[in-house]
Amino acid sequence: MNRLRHDGPLIVGAGLAGLSAALEAARAGAQVLVVTPEPLLNACSSAWAQGGMAAALTAVDSAELHARDTEAAGAGLVQPDVARTLTGVGRQTVEWLAALGAPFDRDADGGFVVSLEAAHSTPRVARVGGDGAGRAILSAVVAAVRAEKRIQVWDDARLKALAQDADGRVVGAVIARGPHAKRIEIAATAVVLATGGAGGLFAATTTPSALKGEGMALAALAGADLLDPEFVQFHPTAIDVGLDPAPLATEALRGEGARLVDGQGRFLLGAEDDADLKPRDVVARAVHAARMGGRGAYLDARAAIGDEFPHAFPAVFAACMRAGLDPRQSPIPVMAACHYYMGGIAADADGRTSVPGLYAVGECAATGVHGANRLASNSLLEACAFGRRAGQAAAGEIGGGRSLPAQGAPDLPEPAMAELRAAMTAHAGVVRTAEGLAALIALIDRLQAEYGPAAPLLAARLIAQAALDRRESRGGHYRADYPQTAARAEHTRVRLARPAAMEAAE
Ligand code: SIN
């Protein structure tokens, strides 16, 4: 294996969280190396975000109101101080991005145009070009990263393992680079994981399917604390046209009056004005039930949006038209699909994990902001705001000792991955039961016996086991056999014992 000494932080992942961290670390004077498996802007969830960035931007809104909505959505498990740390920098974060060139939609007075999404008590989502926020915001950050001399980007490198010294401090990472997956061990002053979520573990997902919870799995093997691995958010309006991943029909469509209907044309969630903007888990279960009941589920935008569709929601319109469906003429077939991972590597607002030298930001991190159910469009805000803080913190790290031989995890071949994904959607999806989760864990055992302890298998196991152990329903986690929410909200905390972690990796 080749070895390389990098005198600065190593950032793994190039979505909004990773690149925000990279920019701030570089601006703090650090030399930054970013490694990512794909060219910038490809295959990261941030670029696919349609809705936008939640922030208190209007005269009727406030950071406190935004924090309260965040707490209410999170079903008892949001950490109030961290939520306030985040919402308190909402405007500042949007303005920082606007200064980098992110072309947020503006009104005639130059104010930010904001959309309404589910569980927000007021319109609060700063958007770009209707439904193009993620790509436009990330493009501005990518341009700034490219202009920054202290940042080097390798866009053909995949994380294989974390390297630790004798004290357990993370002192670098092993990556596989290039078409021949050449192994390189990079020694760095700190490692910032910005590896995204776990949507690729599910057959029905709106996220890039390459994201399989591997950052969480490798951090767990390094002994990092995990928080609430069972909490997955399912989006109710993934467009069901047989594509993997499924294109998204943004919630902002319902904010503009589009309605969910079943195959018989009845409103799925009732006729009141705000019925379709109930919390995302409630809507996801209604869509799931309509489909399981054979009635089908559709998003009807004909009356509310109609001919405005191509201009108002160009990304959704293009996705529908590519699938041969004109949303001005026909309701859009929808399904619930994995959309966001709330659990993950326990981290504070600066991205610090329980392992010295290891930071986690964005979707792979669980900072306590999302609890059991993320408030829509809080994720881009968290990615940027806490990514920036993590970059500043990581820039101050000075590194550790010599690395011990790094433990990696084997790859999982495609047919096994397909089997795992189908079982995750069936048993760890919108509706879960003890029976289904036990069957899923049995499948993971079988695949592990056959293929070894691959990182996606460990990530799936962490989700399934925590879902089995949580005998209640809360936020995105719904147990048909335990439909009640317990009076006391408790977190799930997981730490693999290091010797067990090492054994799992052998
Ligand atoms: C959406 O646009 O519906 C998704 C927004 C989000 O998940 O934050």
Side-chain angles (χ1 to χ4, degrees):
M1 178 156 46
N2 288 355
R3 287 175 203 282
L4 174 92
R5 170 155 289 283
H6 171 71
D7 191 19
L10 170 67
I11 296 181
V12 186
L16 184 59
L19 294 187
S20 300
L23 265 183
E24 288 293 359
R27 288 174 179 185
Q31 296 294 331
V32 181
L33 175 58
V34 178
V35 295
T36 175
E38 296 271 350
L40 297 186
L41 281 168
N42 280 14
C44 68
S45 301
S46 315
W48 293 14
Q50 292 180 355
M53 183 170 284
L57 294 166
T58 63
V60 295
D61 203 0
S62 68
E64 178 57 24
L65 191 57
H66 184 183
R68 277 194 238 137
D69 287 349
T70 299
E71 282 185 80
L77 288 178
V78 168
Q79 229 170 288
D81 55 329
V82 191
R84 281 165 182 76
T85 300
L86 182 68
T87 62
V89 294
R91 172 177 282 279
Q92 180 187 322
T93 305
V94 171
E95 284 174 348
W96 184 75
L97 288 165
L100 290 185
F104 288 101
D105 292 354
R106 305 280 188 157
D107 60 24
D109 300 325
F112 295 102
V113 174
V114 285
S115 308
L116 180 64
E117 291 186 0
H120 289 271
S121 53
T122 181
R124 165 183 296 138
V125 180
R127 59 188 216 197
V128 184
D131 58 9
R135 197 166 186 86
I137 291 171
L138 194 61
S139 298
V141 177
V142 164
V145 163
R146 289 201 168 116
E148 178 53 71
K149 290 193 177 51
R150 290 199 180 92
I151 302 176
Q152 193 187 351
V153 179
W154 292 0
D155 63 3
D156 57 354
R158 186 175 291 281
L159 176 68
K160 301 308 286 183
L162 292 168
Q164 289 174 278
D165 69 11
D167 296 327
R169 182 188 170 90
V170 166
V171 290
V174 176
I175 53 131
R177 187 168 191 209
H180 303 297
K182 198 166 86 187
R183 300 278 165 140
I184 306 174
E185 182 173 329
I186 303 168
T189 54
V191 174
V192 180
L193 292 180
T195 49
L201 290 177
F202 292 80
T205 182
T206 63
T207 76
S209 43
L211 306 177
K212 301 184 190 97
E214 283 152 314
M216 171 173 75
L218 296 176
L221 289 173
D225 289 348
L226 308 182
L227 187 69
D228 297 331
E230 66 274 36
F231 288 126
V232 178
Q233 187 169 71
F234 300 92
H235 198 293
T237 58
I239 304 176
D240 184 16
V241 284
L243 293 175
D244 175 26
L248 181 71
T250 174
E251 202 158 88
L253 286 156
R254 279 173 282 136
E256 292 298 317
R259 302 304 305 253
L260 279 160
V261 296
D262 66 18
Q264 280 120 36
R266 293 190 295 254
F267 286 145
L268 208 57
L269 287 134
E272 320 88 77
D273 277 352
D274 58 354
D276 286 69
L277 287 174
K278 287 183 178 153
R280 193 169 277 184
D281 59 302
V282 175
V283 183
R285 282 197 296 281
V287 165
H288 183 73
R291 288 170 56 92
M292 292 294 113
R295 305 194 310 281
Y298 302 84
L299 184 64
D300 191 347
R302 289 174 298 179
I305 300 165
D307 289 344
E308 289 300 306
F309 212 124
H311 165 71
F313 296 97
V316 181
F317 185 74
C320 289
M321 294 301 275
R322 271 198 301 276
L325 187 102
D326 186 339
R328 295 168 298 188
Q329 312 289 335
S330 322
I332 305 167
V334 292
M335 63 179 177
C338 175
H339 182 62
Y340 191 82
Y341 189 48
M342 276 90 60
I345 307 160
D348 67 13
D350 292 322
R352 282 198 182 83
T353 72
S354 61
V355 175
L358 182 66
Y359 290 72
V361 290
E363 201 172 341
C364 70
T367 60
V369 158
H370 307 306
N373 205 10
R374 178 187 57 107
L375 185 67
S377 293
N378 265 358
S379 37
L380 286 188
L381 175 62
E382 188 202 28
C384 185
F386 288 0
R388 293 180 65 195
R389 289 175 63 121
Q392 288 157 7
E397 296 275 1
I398 52 170
R402 284 175 67 87
S403 67
L404 301 175
Q407 306 288 330
D411 291 331
L412 192 61
E414 195 40 49
M417 196 63 226
E419 204 178 345
L420 177 67
R421 293 180 72 195
M424 286 290 284
T425 285
H427 301 309
V430 182
V431 176
R432 301 164 167 183
T433 62
E435 199 186 350
L437 289 163
L440 172 59
I441 291 169
L443 171 76
I444 294 169
D445 287 342
R446 175 168 67 71
L447 293 176
Q448 180 159 334
E450 199 167 337
Y451 300 105
L457 289 177
L458 177 53
R461 183 187 297 284
L462 288 161
I463 294 170
Q465 188 61 52
L468 183 61
D469 292 345
R470 184 174 284 279
R471 295 191 186 88
E472 63 157 348
S473 294
R474 183 178 296 279
H477 166 78
Y478 182 78
R479 285 281 300 261
D481 46 356
Y482 291 96
Q484 304 303 331
T485 300
R488 203 176 135 86
E490 307 232 27
H491 286 289
T492 303
R493 296 181 199 277
V494 180
R495 178 188 290 180
L496 301 186
R498 277 222 64 222
M502 303 294 258
E503 272 166 33
E506 274 157 19

